[in-house]
Amino acid sequence: MTVHTTSPQFKKNAAQALGDAQLQKALGNVKQGFIDKRVKAAEKLPEFEALRDSARDIKDHTLRHLDLYLETYEDKVKASGGHVHFARNAEEARSIILGICREAGARTVTKGKSMISEEIGINHHLEAHGIVPVETDLGEYIIQLRNELPSHIIAPAVHLNATQVEQDFRRVHTHLDAKRDLSEPVQLLTEARAVLRERFLAADVGITGANFLVAETGTSVIVTNEGNGDLTQILPKTHIVLASIEKLVPTLEDVSQILRVLARSATGQELSVYTTFSTGPRRPGDADGPENYHVVILDNGRSSMLGTSFEEMLRCIRCGACMNHCPVYHAVGGHAYGWVYPGPMGAVLTPTLIGVDKAGHLPNASTFCGRCESVCPVRIPLPKLMRHWREREFERHLSPATVRSGIKTWGFFAKRPALYRLATRAAMGALGLAGRGKGRFAWLPLAKGWTKYRDFPAPQGETFQARWRRERKGRAA
Amino acid sequence: MSARDDIFANIRRSLGVKGSDTIRRQMVTERLERAPKGVIPERGQVSGDERIALFKTMVETSLATVTEVASPAEVPQSIALFLRNHNLPATLRMGDDPRLRAMPWSETALEIAHGPSEGNDLNAVSHAFGGIAESGTLAMVSGPENPSTLNFLPDNHIIVVSAKDIARDYESVWNRVRFAYGKGGMPRTVNWITGPSRSGDIEQTLLLGAHGPRRLHVVVVRD
């Protein structure tokens, strides 16, 4: 494990998040903005659903032939004058990147937003070796100043309000006039632009992620709205692309298909402002661009997901739609998940990367409402995959004893339908009778988890199955 | 075993395949060769004036501005007017693009500089490789003609695009790239630009001019 995780204490994190007034205010922005924008973008494109199918099929095809597309990609990068490095795990990736930075004599390194760089914890590693990493995406820059993890995969600082950002800028940008006005968000943006412009021009190495790697041409693709990824990669002498194995796609046509669903699902834009296709280093005659081009390809457990039910998770294109639509994410935000990837995609991915023993709570933090799956641009069955984790957690005896005995008791009755009907009829009848007066219970044995926060409505005296049978009979008659 | 070989071995073990399997190899070669297009939205599938009109509408949707001129000779005056209208200084940086060089800049009072940007330019002009009507996107290719830094460092970026280079969709532009650079070949950088730089990272409020240009202005050249 490379980045400190608080996933094991998800319940405590969630309780804290629910009581955090600043966070709750900021989370209101997620609920309103993203959902409306995605719906509008999808409505404007009649082919949107067909494109989702197409994107899913492209990713599936690539994953089934991943070894061959990786080979083709590697050959193409080399042919264009670039270097390809393979890293089995986070530690190897960190040491490869540090090596390239040292070779370049780097003092400062600018960075485009990359979730994988969070996954491998590259910033701390560089700092520990005397190299200054500078995040340049506005949201990433803000959370770097606060020494936090991103709370959202495309909006890293979505948990913050403008006043908090103002305080951080005043704390860190001490070379600027202390009396300056920063009351408007645009003033914060302008200040960050000026501060980071200096950093861009001074950097020795630029590190970006990649949204896609194109096998056909040996091209890495990044998508940004700010343009920070581009300044990160065209100004320094050395450009390092950090990407995981599942970013491969076969052709430029395939990228174009997936790009049509990426921005629409993420921010509701037709396309992000800057989509950049990079192939190798500076060419003869070029007036700008990096002289060295390196790609670090990270596995970190992903190759073992192939051929399992979790293979489908490798289709993920990191748009963030699942968390934008998740009622649990809306309630607790991203930090409660305790590691790099939050929301439904994090609940599936995190246990594979740091272990279900540490992240077992995450797949349990779902109501299985299915909204994540219904908006996923590559149709990942997120609830099904979360359920797989719950099953594994149960099989490995990782769930608490009370839960296990409860499920076992329920299982005993569920496997004996006549007994189940009898028991539920008796229980519902008794509860219905007992609750007749008030219509609700403020306290019930074994239901403290529910009644501590709200009343339990009294049953109407009949079970669902009984009512179903009665009404079906009525309709047939 | 090297990290590379280990990763390939693990991928193949997980997939239950061998690297020597010729049928899989053929499928991959065929797919790379054929490059199937998939689902192409109807929206961009229009021609002539209708396509130019769609392009201009989509450019404006992306919060850029757009104007049209009848010939390359009118471009300098049009850009000078744009700068004047926005109270911007009469300076302009450009690369070595022969189409831009051939334009009558001396007819304007613009002070022209050539070559890549070092970060101190207010205004720059580039010539696009093409436009995409479906989304109002400009496709830029890197090189001494149009250095990539001009796309990102200046505050105000002006892009000139020929009406004949405005394509229906992304796929049509890739076809032209393949024709120019060979199948499987690419310029060092292709930038798709759809509107001016922006960020929504502070309270999800859309603000223009994050790290790239605050303004993007597109000049469509007929003829």
Side-chain angles (χ1 to χ4, degrees):
Chain A
M1 195 178 53
T2 55
V3 179
H4 177 68
T5 170
T6 65
S7 300
Q9 24 158 339
F10 174 79
K11 287 183 180 175
K12 194 175 137 214
N13 295 348
Q16 268 171 8
L18 288 167
D20 183 338
Q22 282 271 19
L23 173 67
Q24 292 300 323
K25 183 174 166 238
L27 286 172
N29 297 326
V30 179
K31 238 186 278 186
Q32 290 167 0
F34 285 121
I35 294 178
D36 281 358
K37 287 182 207 157
R38 179 191 169 274
V39 167
K40 281 185 188 138
E43 278 171 358
K44 274 197 276 180
L45 191 73
E47 295 87 352
F48 186 67
E49 293 303 316
L51 281 159
R52 288 174 66 189
D53 290 338
S54 178
R56 174 199 57 204
D57 296 346
I58 289 165
K59 290 297 261 187
D60 278 344
H61 167 82
T62 316
L63 291 170
R64 299 314 295 177
H65 303 84
L66 189 57
D67 51 331
L68 302 176
Y69 284 118
L70 258 179
E71 268 178 14
T72 312
Y73 171 78
E74 184 189 16
D75 290 346
K76 278 294 192 178
V77 175
K78 286 181 182 165
S80 69
H83 305 274
V84 182
H85 313 260
F86 286 88
R88 275 173 285 226
N89 50 41
E91 194 187 341
E92 287 184 357
R94 285 194 301 262
S95 84
I96 292 167
I97 292 171
L98 180 64
I100 300 168
C101 290
R102 279 186 168 155
E103 202 179 311
R107 280 173 303 171
T108 67
V109 171
T110 41
K111 290 187 63 213
K113 203 178 95 55
S114 151
M115 292 310 296
I116 292 170
S117 91
E118 301 282 354
E119 183 182 322
I120 68 167
I122 188 64
N123 286 4
H124 287 301
H125 191 69
L126 291 175
E127 275 166 11
H129 292 85
I131 295 170
V132 181
V134 182
E135 294 289 351
T136 63
D137 171 84
L138 180 57
E140 285 281 342
Y141 177 67
I142 294 166
I143 62 160
Q144 189 185 25
L145 297 183
R146 299 171 64 88
N147 200 18
E148 288 180 347
L149 279 173
S151 69
H152 189 289
I153 60 172
I154 67 159
V158 77
H159 58 290
L160 299 172
N161 296 295
T163 48
Q164 294 167 290
V165 179
E166 178 183 347
Q167 284 163 15
D168 290 319
F169 280 16
R170 289 195 190 282
R171 175 172 57 80
V172 177
H173 301 160
T174 48
H175 61 293
L176 298 172
D177 181 5
K179 289 185 204 125
R180 68 194 185 281
D181 184 7
L182 289 176
S183 55
E184 294 294 323
V186 68
Q187 291 164 322
L188 296 169
L189 177 80
T190 307
E191 180 162 314
R193 178 184 169 107
V195 168
L196 286 168
R197 183 57 71 95
E198 298 300 315
R199 301 297 216 146
F200 279 125
L201 294 164
D204 307 295
V205 173
I207 302 177
T208 67
N211 292 82
F212 308 97
L213 303 173
V214 186
E216 176 194 5
T217 50
T219 300
S220 55
V221 184
I222 59 166
V223 173
T224 78
N225 276 321
E226 299 184 4
N228 64 305
D230 289 281
L231 291 175
T232 297
Q233 70 174 56
I234 52 176
L235 295 174
K237 275 195 170 172
T238 300
H239 176 201
I240 303 174
V241 179
L242 173 60
S244 47
I245 54 172
E246 82 279 16
K247 299 289 173 190
L248 255 290
V249 292
T251 64
L252 295 167
E253 277 72 8
D254 293 320
V255 179
S256 309
Q257 286 287 288
I258 302 174
L259 284 168
R260 286 188 174 99
V261 294
L262 174 57
R264 288 182 171 94
S265 301
T267 56
Q269 287 168 282
E270 292 276 327
L271 199 63
S272 301
V273 175
Y274 301 112
T275 306
T276 297
F277 304 80
S278 306
T279 314
R282 190 186 280 221
R283 306 273 168 89
D286 271 359
D288 48 22
E291 288 166 25
N292 311 297
Y293 177 82
H294 295 268
V295 186
V296 181
I297 297 179
L298 176 72
D299 183 343
N300 214 20
R302 288 167 174 81
S303 59
S304 300
M305 292 165 73
L306 292 166
T308 73
S309 52
F310 294 106
E311 180 176 313
E312 296 193 83
M313 191 59 221
L314 295 175
R315 288 203 299 264
C316 178
I317 54 173
R318 306 288 190 267
C319 69
C322 59
M323 55 198 77
N324 292 343
H325 290 76
C326 176
V328 177
Y329 182 93
H330 288 166
V332 300
H335 284 159
Y337 291 80
W339 199 56
V340 175
Y341 301 101
M345 59 79 60
V348 175
L349 194 59
T350 306
T352 62
L353 296 178
I354 67 172
V356 72
D357 52 327
K358 292 196 187 72
H361 286 312
L362 307 189
N364 285 309
S366 165
T367 63
F368 281 3
C369 71
R371 268 170 113 187
C372 50
E373 182 176 358
S374 74
V375 297
C376 175
V378 285
R379 302 196 192 280
I380 299 171
L382 290 154
K384 184 181 96 182
L385 298 181
M386 282 188 261
R387 209 180 60 241
H388 283 324
W389 276 127
R390 293 186 187 185
E391 285 159 8
R392 287 202 191 183
E393 197 193 13
F394 188 80
E395 281 161 13
R396 290 181 52 190
H397 297 264
L398 290 168
S399 32
T402 47
V403 173
R404 302 183 63 78
S405 63
I407 291 176
K408 268 201 191 122
T409 310
W410 181 81
F412 174 82
F413 284 99
K415 278 186 255 173
R416 295 164 178 82
L419 196 59
Y420 185 89
R421 274 197 296 275
L422 189 72
T424 48
R425 202 162 54 216
M428 291 307 114
L431 280 176
L433 215 63
R436 219 171 13 178
K438 279 190 183 159
R440 60 197 154 82
F441 296 97
W443 180 86
L444 266 183
L446 303 174
K448 201 176 67 185
W450 178 286
T451 53
K452 197 171 154 194
Y453 300 102
R454 50 228 184 279
D455 289 349
F456 188 85
Q460 302 297 303
E462 191 181 24
T463 65
F464 174 77
Q465 289 189 356
R467 182 173 173 184
W468 175 263
R469 259 198 313 275
R470 178 168 57 78
E471 295 201 353
R472 271 242 313 229
K473 223 180 265 171
R475 211 174 300 155
Chain B
M1 206 163 15
S2 74
R4 181 195 180 281
D5 294 346
D6 221 13
I7 291 170
F8 275 92
N10 206 35
I11 292 173
R12 288 181 173 132
R13 195 161 44 237
S14 296
L15 290 173
V17 299
K18 289 198 177 87
S20 54
D21 185 342
T22 49
I23 296 173
R24 289 174 78 244
R25 253 178 217 284
Q26 266 170 14
M27 277 187 68
V28 165
T29 311
E30 191 263 351
R31 169 129 194 166
L32 290 170
E33 192 55 44
R34 197 167 51 90
K37 283 185 182 175
V39 179
I40 307 296
E42 273 302 304
R43 185 202 285 166
Q45 306 305 304
V46 288
S47 307
D49 284 350
E50 211 181 329
R51 193 191 299 175
I52 308 298
L54 172 66
F55 173 74
K56 286 161 70 175
T57 305
M58 294 312 294
V59 166
E60 283 172 347
T61 305
S62 75
L63 306 178
T65 53
V66 59
T67 188
E68 194 176 313
V69 297
S71 75
E74 290 175 34
V75 170
Q77 289 291 359
S78 172
I79 290 175
L81 182 69
F82 167 81
L83 295 176
R84 210 160 48 236
N85 286 345
H86 290 89
N87 284 323
L88 294 168
T91 60
L92 192 62
R93 179 170 284 278
M94 66 179 76
D96 288 328
D97 192 283
R99 293 161 293 187
L100 294 177
R101 278 209 180 260
M103 292 171 185
W105 299 99
S106 58
E107 289 175 9
T108 67
L110 292 174
E111 187 188 313
I112 308 285
H114 288 276
S117 177
E118 284 172 6
N120 305 313
D121 304 290
L122 275 177
N123 314 317
V125 61
S126 311
H127 203 295
F129 179 80
I132 295 139
E134 179 183 329
S135 55
T137 300
L138 283 309
M140 320 297 292
V141 302
S142 61
E145 296 81 11
N146 294 288
S148 302
T149 40
L150 299 190
N151 297 339
F152 297 99
L153 284 171
D155 277 22
N156 307 287
H157 190 212
I158 300 157
I159 301 180
V160 179
V161 60
S162 301
K164 66 172 169 41
D165 293 337
I166 295 173
R168 296 182 164 97
D169 43 42
Y170 312 119
E171 290 73 10
S172 310
V173 172
W174 292 134
N175 274 341
R176 278 187 57 216
V177 169
R178 287 199 184 109
F179 187 75
Y181 294 83
K183 165 77 182 159
M186 279 284 268
R188 177 180 57 79
T189 308
V190 176
N191 291 120
W192 286 1
I193 302 179
T194 315
S197 162
R198 69 198 63 186
S199 175
D201 275 346
I202 298 174
E203 294 188 352
Q204 303 304 292
T205 313
L206 179 71
L207 300 168
L208 293 186
H211 291 296
R214 302 166 199 266
R215 278 199 195 86
L216 176 69
H217 181 62
V218 179
V219 182
V220 177
V221 184
R222 292 279 187 169
D223 181 37

